[in-house]
Amino acid sequence: MNYHNTLGFAKSLDEKDTLKRFRSQFYFPKQHDGSNKLYFCGNSLGLQPKLAKTYVNKVLEDWQIYGVDGHTDAEFPWMPYHEFLSQPMAKIVGAKESEVIIMNTLSVNLHLMMVSFYRPTVKKRKILIETDAFPSDLYGVQSQLKFHGFDPDEDLVIWQPKNNQYYELSDFDALVDQHRDELALVLIGNTNYYTGQFFDMKHITKKCHHYDISVGFDLAHGVGNIQPHLHEIGADFAVWCTYKYLNSGPGSLGGCFIHEKHHKDKAIPRFEGWWGHDKTTRFNMRQAFNPIESVEAWQLSNPPILSMTAVRASLEVFEEAGFETILSKSKSLTGYLEYLLKDLNDNNINIITPKNPDERGCQLSIQFLDADKSLFDKLTQAGVVADWREPQVIRVAPAPLYNSFEDVYQFVQILKHIRYAG
Ligand SMILES: *Cc1c(COP(=O)(O)O)cnc(C)c1O
C-alpha cells in the first residue's frame, strides 16, 4: 500500500476501515482531560469489550435467580458452557472444534500437555526451546526435565538467533539434525513475545515429526494475532491465554489444542478429572474413567463460568468482525506504523521485528539505540500505553479491532515531539 505521512491520510484510512465500528465496542483508559489514551498494549492485556460486562452481569443474575439449577436452566447453561466457545475458538487457531478447549490457564495447560507429550526415554529425553522464551515456558520445561530426573543444564537444547535478532530456520534444522536421536519434545513460543517474530510452524512441525519428535507451540502472542493453522500443520499440541489479543480479562482462562490424531490413543498418559469423563455417565460416580474422545478428555474441573463468559463475549466480537478481515487490517495498520517510523529517518531507531508481514503479527518492537527508560516514561506521560523491555526496546502493538490509523499517526507525532522538540 502507498502511505502518506499526514493526519488527513490517516483519517481517510479510518474512514474506509470496515472494522471502524468495533472501536466503540471497547472501553479505553482515559487521560486526565477525559480523552482516550493511545492504547498499544493488547499484547499484554487486551481492552475490555463492552459486551463482557453485559455477559458477566448475566451470569451473576442467572446465579441469583437459579442457584444450582443454572447448570441446566440458564439461557447458556453452565454444564456445557465450554462447548459454546470451542467452535469460534477453533476458527481463530485453524482447528476442528473437537481439537480445541478453553480450560485452566496457560502455564497449567503447558504442564498438562507435557504430561501427555513429553514422554522421555533414557536416550530420547531432551527438550528444545528458543533462547529468549517467556520465563514461564522456560520454568515449565526445566521443571519437567527435573521431574523426570534429568538435568536442565544438559538436556535443554537452546535455539539462538544468529545476530541476536532473528531466528533462522536453517539454524533450527541444524540443531534438530544434531540432536535428532535425543530430542523428545520441541516447544516454541509463536510469535516471539520480545521481537514479534512469527516462525514457520509448518516447517518446524514437519522437521520434528520426521525424527519422531513431539512438537508443541505456545501461542500466547499468536492467538488472535496471526492464523496458526494448527490442524493443517499437524502440531501435536498448542496452548495460549485469552487475555492478550483475545481481550477476555486479566488472568482469564487459557486455551488448548490437541490434534485429533491423538484423541483415540488409549496409551497416551494424561492427568485426569471428572470433567474429562464421558458426559452421559459423568454423574453416575464411582465408575472407571471413560474419556471423552476429543480434547475435552484433558479437562479436569468444572470451569469458572464468570471468566468463561468474558471469553464468550470476546469471541463473539471476533466472530462478528471476521478473523480474515481483522488480519488484513492488522497488516495495513502495522505497515502504516512501520512506514511512519521509517519516515523519521532516525539512525538510532531500529525496528527489530521482521520486515516481512508474513513473519510478524501486529507488534513492532522498536529499539532506541540512544535512549534509556526516560523516553518511555515521557511517552507514558503523554498518554501512550505501550511497554518497555530492558535494555532499550519499546513494544507497540496496534490491535486491529480497536486501534485506528489515527492512533498510530498520533503516536509517531508524540514520539517525534519528545525526541526532536522536547
Ligand atoms: C503471557 C505469556 C504467558 C503467561 O502465562 P500464564 O500462565 O497465563 O500466566 C506464558 N507464556 C508466554 C509465551 C506468554 O506470552
Side-chain angles (χ1 to χ4, degrees):
M1 191 190 282
N2 257 335
Y3 294 118
H4 301 285
N5 192 350
T6 65
L7 178 59
F9 180 73
K11 286 188 177 201
S12 77
L13 289 181
D14 286 332
E15 233 1 85
K16 281 182 258 175
D17 174 12
T18 55
L19 295 178
K20 66 182 169 200
R21 70 182 192 282
F22 287 94
R23 183 174 172 85
S24 62
Q25 298 185 20
F26 288 85
Y27 290 108
F28 280 76
K30 302 286 183 199
Q31 308 199 55
H32 291 306
D33 67 1
S35 62
N36 287 346
K37 287 193 175 174
L38 289 173
Y39 196 85
F40 298 113
C41 231
N43 58 321
S44 184
L45 182 71
L47 289 181
Q48 182 186 139
K50 292 180 179 169
L51 199 56
K53 197 177 226 171
T54 313
Y55 281 12
V56 168
N57 282 336
K58 179 77 168 64
V59 171
L60 286 173
E61 215 175 86
D62 285 343
W63 178 22
Q64 178 183 333
I65 296 169
Y66 296 108
V68 71
D69 292 334
H71 284 297
T72 49
D73 296 356
E75 186 188 344
F76 287 90
W78 308 329
M79 193 99 72
Y81 203 92
H82 60 276
E83 296 171 19
F84 308 133
L85 309 179
S86 298
Q87 201 246 353
M89 190 66 255
K91 272 197 213 167
I92 294 174
V93 293
K96 296 189 176 180
E97 192 175 336
S98 63
E99 294 174 317
V100 166
I101 190 79
I102 298 291
M103 62 178 191
N104 313 312
T105 45
L106 193 161
S107 303
V108 172
N109 287 335
L110 183 55
H111 278 295
L112 291 178
M113 291 304 100
M114 287 196 279
V115 165
S116 294
F117 296 101
Y118 176 55
R119 284 174 280 166
T121 61
V122 172
K123 179 144 196 282
K124 207 171 171 59
R125 68 193 208 186
K126 293 187 176 174
I127 303 179
L128 184 151
I129 194 167
E130 77 274 25
T131 187
D132 59 354
F134 197 85
S136 198
D137 299 15
L138 185 64
Y139 305 150
V141 294
Q142 285 172 335
S143 59
Q144 284 282 335
L145 284 165
K146 286 189 272 187
F147 176 73
H148 287 278
F150 305 136
D151 178 0
D153 287 338
E154 264 176 41
D155 295 320
L156 204 54
V157 178
I158 305 284
W159 179 23
Q160 307 252 17
K162 210 173 227 112
N163 47 9
N164 273 328
Q165 213 171 83
Y166 303 125
Y167 292 85
E168 307 273 356
L169 284 175
S170 53
D171 294 338
F172 176 83
D173 289 351
L175 259 189
V176 172
D177 286 334
Q178 186 191 338
H179 297 277
R180 63 193 192 194
D181 297 328
E182 298 122 35
L183 276 172
L185 173 69
V186 166
L187 175 75
I188 302 291
N190 210 8
T191 58
N192 184 273
Y193 79 100
Y194 182 62
T195 63
Q197 181 176 7
F198 174 52
F199 307 115
D200 184 340
M201 298 168 69
K202 193 169 189 169
H203 178 104
I204 290 174
T205 305
K206 201 168 159 212
K207 182 77 190 173
C208 295
H209 285 170
H210 183 68
Y211 296 127
D212 204 18
I213 302 164
S214 297
V215 56
F217 293 96
D218 180 338
L219 296 176
H221 283 259
V223 71
N225 182 29
I226 46 91
Q227 172 52 270
H229 296 294
L230 286 172
H231 177 80
E232 185 198 317
I233 64 158
D236 295 295
F237 71 88
V239 291
W240 57 89
C241 51
T242 63
Y243 48 81
K244 292 173 178 164
Y245 295 109
L246 290 186
N247 313 318
S248 73
S252 189
L253 287 147
C256 192
F257 162 91
I258 297 175
H259 200 280
E260 69 177 355
K261 65 191 167 198
H262 299 298
H263 294 178
K264 292 186 185 170
D265 179 357
K266 297 256 186 282
I268 208 161
R270 177 173 53 215
F271 284 172
E272 291 165 347
W274 73 320
W275 230 246
H277 183 94
D278 175 37
K279 291 171 209 179
T280 56
T281 58
R282 183 186 282 154
F283 286 90
N284 295 358
M285 310 293 185
R286 290 191 198 83
Q287 271 199 335
F289 186 74
N290 182 16
I292 304 168
E293 279 189 0
S294 79
V295 66
E296 287 185 67
W298 275 261
Q299 293 176 113
L300 297 175
S301 301
N302 80 106
I305 302 298
L306 282 169
S307 263
M308 253 190 185
T309 199
V311 181
R312 186 164 76 85
S314 163
L315 293 177
E316 268 189 33
V317 177
F318 268 78
E319 185 85 356
E320 198 194 327
F323 195 41
E324 288 296 315
T325 315
I326 293 172
L327 291 180
S328 147
K329 175 179 170 188
S330 181
K331 286 210 160 117
S332 1
L333 192 62
T334 295
Y336 193 46
L337 174 60
E338 183 180 43
Y339 159 83
L340 293 172
L341 289 168
K342 281 192 181 147
D343 208 41
L344 295 173
N345 280 316
D346 185 332
N347 288 332
N348 285 315
I349 294 183
N350 179 23
I351 301 173
I352 64 170
T353 306
K355 291 174 184 54
N356 178 355
D358 294 330
E359 288 176 44
R360 68 186 187 201
C362 70
Q363 171 188 321
L364 291 186
S365 303
I366 313 163
Q367 185 181 24
F368 293 88
L369 296 168
D370 60 345
D372 56 24
K373 188 162 174 285
S374 66
L375 169 68
F376 177 74
D377 294 338
K378 284 179 195 156
L379 284 167
T380 306
Q381 272 161 24
V384 174
V385 186
D387 81 12
W388 172 260
R389 291 276 149 177
E390 293 295 343
Q392 39 187 201
V393 168
I394 295 180
R395 299 187 301 177
V396 179
L401 262 178
Y402 51 76
N403 280 122
S404 64
F405 291 87
E406 187 177 342
D407 284 347
V408 164
Y409 179 83
Q410 296 298 2
F411 163 70
V412 179
Q413 287 298 111
I414 291 171
L415 180 67
K416 209 157 138 180
H417 184 78
I418 291 172
R419 277 179 74 78
Y420 315 119

